[in-house]
Amino acid sequence: MKDQSPPNFQLSNCQGRKRALLIGINYIGTDNALNGCINDVHNIQEFLITLYNFKPEDMVILTDDQTDSKFLPTKQNILSAMQWLVNDAQANDSYFFHFSGHGGRVKDTNGDEDDGYDETIYPMDHDNYEGESGQIVDDEMHDIMVRPLPAGARLTCIFDSCHSGTAIDLPYVYSTSGNVKEDSIFKDAGSSLLTAGLAYASGNRSGALSSLMGFGKSLISRKSVDERIKKFKSSEADVIMFSGCKDTQTSADAMENGKSTGAMSYAFTTVLRQNRNLTYLQLLNAVRDILKEKYSQRPQMSSSHPIDVNLMFII
């Protein structure tokens, strides 16, 4: 681990270009039909336009009720749209990705998952592929949407799907107390890397080094070092994800104000419509409080870099 520099990330001010990719799949006419996913997309679209100055012409909407085949949420269209979303990304841009639909899990093949499973999303045409190959795996989403981003570009992701806790493999997973969770990718490293990352970002290189040296000593005797290095999926960019539930939970297809909706999409937009001036920690807790009233699922917040959870949330 000693060769691995602390995450030298840069936050986005979100004042640059804005783009959004919104995907809602009701799986119309199938045995696994959902009711609220297309409604979620329209809700998020209106939310981004009215509150955060996104423009309709800078959005791609994929839903399975569309007549134009280019805008159906097939596997190929989703992958192409993900590439469009982050194409030519620059510092201070703000990109928004939203998925509402079925999520799943497949056996991890490259050893980068603590629980032995990769998280997936189901395109509308997943049945047309052999075995599980019709699903889109978290590794692939990370490679397309996170890896190409430069320092200072923001990607905000909302997953309203089952098993979505770490759906784009971001290494820092936060609890509602504002701490890196013990079951996040840096289980053994959490606080040391957080301290090192924040020290490094604020210019305190020697503080970062001493944190990392302390962390290194505590890891020397652990067999899991190699796994930890493999999972080092940090980024210089500013990537934040909110998901409807932990990797082991399912998301609720809910009814709110007489309309079918994804519980996470509803909670996230409701909280910010009431008050946009929230810190990351306040937002996560407010979303959790709304969900807790009716549902067993717990929202997750994860990121590509250590977060100062007391900073204001922006898009």
Side-chain angles (χ1 to χ4, degrees), residues 88-193:
D88 190 32
Q90 294 168 22
N92 296 320
D93 287 351
S94 176
Y95 306 118
F96 194 96
F97 174 86
H98 171 258
F99 175 81
S100 183
H102 281 304
R105 311 169 85 198
V106 296
K107 268 269 185 247
D108 172 35
T109 55
N110 65 355
D112 73 337
E113 296 287 346
D114 273 347
D115 58 4
Y117 288 91
D118 280 318
E119 284 67 54
T120 67
I121 59 173
Y122 280 85
M124 67 176 285
D125 62 342
H126 64 92
D127 276 346
N128 297 351
Y129 292 78
E130 197 174 321
E132 295 170 332
S133 64
Q135 299 172 51
I136 299 175
V137 180
D138 51 12
D139 296 337
E140 192 168 11
M141 291 189 271
H142 184 97
D143 286 346
I144 294 173
M145 291 194 291
V146 179
R147 200 174 296 282
L149 293 174
R154 160 63 79 86
L155 172 65
T156 307
C157 298
I158 307 288
F159 282 84
D160 213 329
S161 53
C162 301
H163 308 298
S164 57
T166 59
I168 51 170
D169 270 358
L170 300 179
Y172 297 87
V173 183
Y174 284 83
S175 71
T176 46
S177 64
N179 298 313
V180 174
K181 292 179 74 125
E182 285 304 296
D183 60 352
S184 77
I185 282 170
F186 293 135
K187 184 174 182 178
D188 306 311
S191 57
S192 302
L193 272 171

Side-chain angles (χ1 to χ4, degrees), residues 224-286:
S224 60
V225 174
D226 288 345
E227 279 75 22
R228 296 292 163 209
I229 292 172
K230 269 189 218 149
K231 303 190 72 159
F232 199 82
K233 290 196 170 181
S234 292
S235 166
E236 292 184 327
D238 185 13
V239 186
I240 306 289
M241 183 183 100
F242 292 87
S243 62
C245 52
K246 299 176 182 176
D247 286 346
T248 53
Q249 289 183 315
T250 55
S251 271
D253 199 24
M255 195 69 130
E256 297 290 351
N257 303 323
K259 282 181 85 170
S260 293
T261 179
M264 179 65 195
S265 301
Y266 169 79
F268 183 80
T269 54
T270 298
V271 165
L272 287 166
R273 281 186 173 119
Q274 289 168 355
N275 181 7
R276 281 174 55 189
N277 298 311
L278 296 175
T279 65
Y280 285 92
L281 188 58
Q282 288 168 335
L283 173 58
L284 181 61
N285 277 285

